[in-house]
Amino acid sequence: MKRQIKNNVSWVGYIDWELETFHGDDYSIMNGSSQNAYLVEEGKTVLIDTIWTPHRFDFVENLKKEIDLKKIDYVIANHGECDHSGALTALMAEIPETPIYCTAQAVKSLEGQYGKRGWNFHVVKTGDELEIGNGKKLVFVEMKMLHWPDSMATYMTGDNILFSNDAFGQHYAVDELFNDKADQCLLYKEAIKYYTNILNPFSNLVAKKIEEIVGMGLPINIIAPSHGAIWRERPMQIVETYAKWAAAYQENQITVAYDTMWEGTTQIAHAIAEEIRRQSPETVVKVFNVAKADKNEVMTEVFKSKAIVVGSPTVSNSILSSVAGWIEFLKQLKFKNKKAAAFGCYGWSGESVKILQEKLKDAGFEVVEENIRAFWKPTEEDMAKIPALVKSLIA
Ligand code: FEO
């Protein structure tokens, strides 16, 4: 069922209450999600994006209940990823001649995924415009690498709506559609998780793009992303928040992340947390066993942190695979402006701390020399080194 966003603009997407993971199993979904598609019915009828492949037939059937598909003058594909383009195959089978407006990279992406189907692509670049009648037009803005090479946003004049696609979105099922109706805590939590896990690697580009969009001087009354809540109440709040997040964001928080074999490394983890509380009561402390905690949630806490402390015992001359995999993901997210320290127990060769330090440096962290390397179980002597380690992190 289409739901009005403003004047002749409606939401025709899919609220995905049952989605549990995204990007395969790489992103955990805790509060549902949505794939937002939009229908503009001015002098011209325009469909902006579609929904994920498994729901493509329902999408087309539902759309048919709202309009004669042949009335669609233009399809806008802001992004080729299949959570937004997945219903194009079913849709274009019904209206094969209808022009699809997208970036040159999106043509490659769509043809790469769905094959060359002879779709009527119209390639657009930043600043290109499309008249849609009633004195209104669409203006296209390339959003290269936010978060794919093909990404773009579409701005609608008159109603001043920015259809931003993935940017400013959240994996969060908001049945009420709008940010002012959503649970505010969940909205913030899901927006920062989305930024951390999907957009943070591209923070430099986010900062530049925000400058560019603000510099275009377009009045923005609504930001309509392709996932989660539509920002109609103070829409620029999320743009301002993105600008803050993109600038090597940190709060007064330290996150301890570790895994353990026989709890020695766990003891050190909690002793470090206790010492942070003692030395700096204002600092928020979070402690996670990375083998058990959700990695996307932990990374969001890392994003908020000014420092992290990472622990693993030595196993087979290396570190636990849980920690190794976690650090690989940490590296991918390209955090900036954060310190790190390492700790861990060992019984034989004892390489884990050195390996952790090297991997953390490689992941872009400023690694302090202080570390805790405990033979079998942490002794009082080992624990006595913790205050110096914490001091170097909170300095
Ligand atoms: Fe929501 Fe990049 O797809």
Side-chain angles (χ1 to χ4, degrees):
M1 184 180 77
K2 74 178 182 184
R3 297 168 67 181
Q4 189 188 35
I5 300 300
K6 184 180 180 186
N7 297 330
N8 299 320
V9 179
S10 309
W11 177 92
V12 289
Y14 181 79
I15 301 205
D16 208 333
W17 289 103
E18 304 194 0
L19 196 66
E20 293 180 324
T21 61
F22 185 78
H23 282 163
D25 287 333
D26 214 34
Y27 188 110
S28 60
I29 305 280
M30 306 290 192
N31 296 289
S33 187
S34 64
Q35 299 123 39
N36 298 336
Y38 300 95
L39 187 65
V40 180
E41 295 170 279
E42 298 290 350
K44 301 288 186 183
T45 300
V46 185
L47 177 69
I48 300 180
D49 293 322
T50 69
I51 66 171
W52 189 30
T53 320
H55 314 300
R56 63 194 184 281
F57 299 117
D58 286 343
F59 175 78
V60 170
E61 288 311 307
N62 288 338
L63 202 55
K64 275 183 188 172
K65 289 177 196 157
E66 304 296 343
I67 51 159
D68 175 357
L69 297 184
K70 296 199 166 36
K71 283 194 175 159
I72 297 175
D73 295 291
Y74 312 121
V75 173
I76 311 297
N78 276 327
H79 178 27
E81 194 162 10
C82 60
D83 51 325
H84 309 298
S85 67
L88 275 179
T89 51
L91 178 73
M92 301 315 290
E94 306 253 0
I95 49 170
E97 306 300 325
T98 306
I100 300 174
Y101 287 74
C102 63
T103 63
Q105 289 287 353
V107 176
K108 288 186 195 170
S109 153
L110 292 169
E111 289 189 337
Q113 292 174 90
Y114 308 116
K116 291 184 190 288
R117 293 172 179 245
W119 289 345
N120 181 13
F121 289 115
H122 286 235
V123 169
V124 294
K125 299 187 295 299
T126 294
D128 286 354
E129 297 180 351
L130 182 63
E131 300 286 342
I132 55 171
N134 300 334
K136 298 178 184 178
K137 61 189 177 188
L138 300 178
V139 183
F140 302 106
V141 183
E142 288 170 271
M143 304 277 275
K144 198 170 180 184
M145 294 318 296
L146 297 177
H147 68 124
W148 271 19
D150 66 6
S151 299
M152 73 169 186
T154 298
Y155 175 77
M156 179 179 172
T157 67
D159 292 320
N160 304 335
I161 303 174
L162 181 69
F163 299 96
S164 59
N165 198 263
D166 284 330
F168 312 123
Q170 330 88 48
H171 281 305
Y172 174 25
V174 183
D175 204 71
E176 307 88 336
L177 291 186
F178 299 103
N179 69 314
D180 49 297
K181 300 282 189 187
D183 177 312
Q184 297 302 296
C185 292
L186 278 183
L187 179 58
Y188 184 82
K189 180 180 184 296
E190 294 298 347
I192 195 169
K193 178 178 173 181
Y194 191 93
Y195 186 91
T196 300
N197 287 277
I198 293 186
L199 291 167
N200 192 65
F202 312 109
S203 277
N204 289 347
L205 298 170
V206 171
K208 281 188 196 138
K209 189 51 66 174
I210 286 175
E211 262 178 46
E212 183 189 322
I213 291 174
V214 170
M216 288 170 92
L218 304 168
I220 295 176
N221 296 132
I222 291 178
I223 296 178
S226 55
H227 299 288
I230 296 164
W231 302 87
R232 72 174 175 187
E233 185 184 80
R234 297 194 300 112
M236 293 308 282
Q237 66 178 287
I238 188 63
V239 179
E240 289 155 14
T241 302
Y242 263 44
K244 208 167 59 176
W245 288 342
Y249 185 70
Q250 60 168 238
E251 298 175 15
N252 185 7
Q253 176 171 322
I254 297 179
T255 296
V256 182
Y258 74 98
D259 192 11
T260 190
M261 289 173 76
W262 297 110
E263 304 301 340
T265 304
T266 309
Q267 283 177 22
I268 303 172
H270 288 283
I272 290 170
E274 190 57 30
E275 181 61 19
I276 297 167
R277 291 182 201 108
R278 196 187 68 75
Q279 285 192 31
S280 180
E282 299 303 312
T283 300
V284 174
V285 183
K286 302 279 169 103
V287 183
F288 300 101
N289 179 323
V290 298
K292 296 176 181 169
D294 179 273
K295 76 173 185 296
N296 307 106
E297 301 278 327
V298 179
M299 288 306 171
T300 308
E301 297 305 328
V302 169
F303 179 59
K304 290 192 235 169
S305 297
K306 60 183 180 182
I308 62 171
V309 200
V310 181
S312 169
T314 298
V315 53
S316 302
N317 306 108
S318 187
I319 57 175
L320 285 170
S321 60
S322 53
V323 180
W326 187 82
I327 295 181
E328 178 60 27
F329 189 45
L330 184 78
K331 182 182 171 183
Q332 288 174 21
L333 297 184
K334 296 186 171 66
F335 293 113
K336 290 192 177 71
N337 192 30
K338 298 185 195 300
K339 290 184 176 179
F343 64 97
C345 292
Y346 70 101
W348 311 328
S349 54
E351 296 92 336
S352 72
V353 164
K354 191 163 179 287
I355 291 170
L356 288 172
Q357 288 177 326
E358 282 166 4
K359 285 183 178 289
L360 288 166
K361 265 181 213 156
D362 186 46
F365 286 74
E366 182 198 328
V367 178
V368 301
E369 274 182 32
E370 290 80 1
N371 63 80
I372 313 299
R373 185 168 170 269
F375 185 55
W376 292 104
K377 286 281 183 185
T379 60
E380 276 185 23
E381 201 174 298
D382 295 320
M383 294 301 200
K385 293 179 184 166
I386 291 178
L389 179 148
V390 169
K391 194 174 173 195
S392 67
L393 291 179
I394 62 177

